[in-house]
Amino acid sequence: GGAAKDHPEALKQKEAKIWAFAQSPVKNVAMMSFMMWMSGNTVHIFSMMSTFTGLVQPLVAIANSDQAFRRFADPQGKINLQGPRALFCLIHLGGFLFAVWKLATMGLLPTYVSDWVSSLPPPRPLQYSAGGEA
């Protein structure tokens, strides 16, 4: 049993499965991005729900990436999971960035100076005038 697992061909097959798993979110991220793009730039319930899902799903997947790759762990340390896990996280990060872009196109991100006017102090007057008698 143990000698068969150490075979170089078996290790290559396992690495191929790990890389395939790391690349598997591409279809989901692409479909979610397409749905966000098709929902338009107006603020309504469908675009808000798809954008919120596009923000949350990638963050949850990145946070749970250790658990997702744990089943591929090699107790002997012959297989490095860092590269596939990094690719997995980068794919999800791309989906998250698309959702942030979607928020910006909907006008929901404070990206202009006018979005921060309420936090600016009022300007100092350069001149004062007062009524008086002539």
Side-chain angles (χ1 to χ4, degrees):
K5 289 183 182 179
D6 293 338
H7 194 268
E9 194 62 35
L11 287 175
K12 286 182 184 179
Q13 288 176 348
K14 188 171 183 180
E15 283 181 351
K17 285 181 183 179
I18 294 168
W19 280 104
F21 177 77
Q23 296 171 17
S24 64
V26 168
K27 290 179 184 177
N28 293 340
V29 168
M31 182 58 74
M32 196 63 185
S33 299
F34 181 71
M35 286 176 55
M36 284 188 282
W37 179 71
M38 288 298 290
S39 68
N41 293 339
T42 58
V43 178
H44 57 281
I45 191 70
F46 179 72
S47 64
M48 291 300 297
M49 285 185 345
S50 66
T51 305
F52 180 73
T53 303
L55 286 169
V56 172
Q57 279 184 350
L59 294 178
V60 169
I62 290 170
N64 294 333
S65 66
D66 182 48
Q67 183 181 352
F69 281 90
R70 193 171 292 156
R71 64 184 171 140
F72 297 114
D74 183 20
Q76 298 169 356
K78 292 184 177 182
I79 296 178
N80 186 4
L81 297 177
Q82 297 304 320
R85 187 173 171 196
L87 177 63
F88 181 85
C89 291
L90 282 174
I91 291 169
H92 282 293
L93 181 65
F96 176 78
L97 293 176
F98 191 88
V100 170
W101 171 82
K102 177 68 177 176
L103 283 177
T105 61
M106 292 169 68
L108 297 176
L109 287 183
T111 56
Y112 299 104
V113 175
S114 60
D115 295 328
W116 301 96
V117 168
S118 63
S119 64
L120 297 175
R124 286 185 51 223
L126 299 176
Q127 296 178 352
Y128 294 99
S129 67
E133 294 181 27

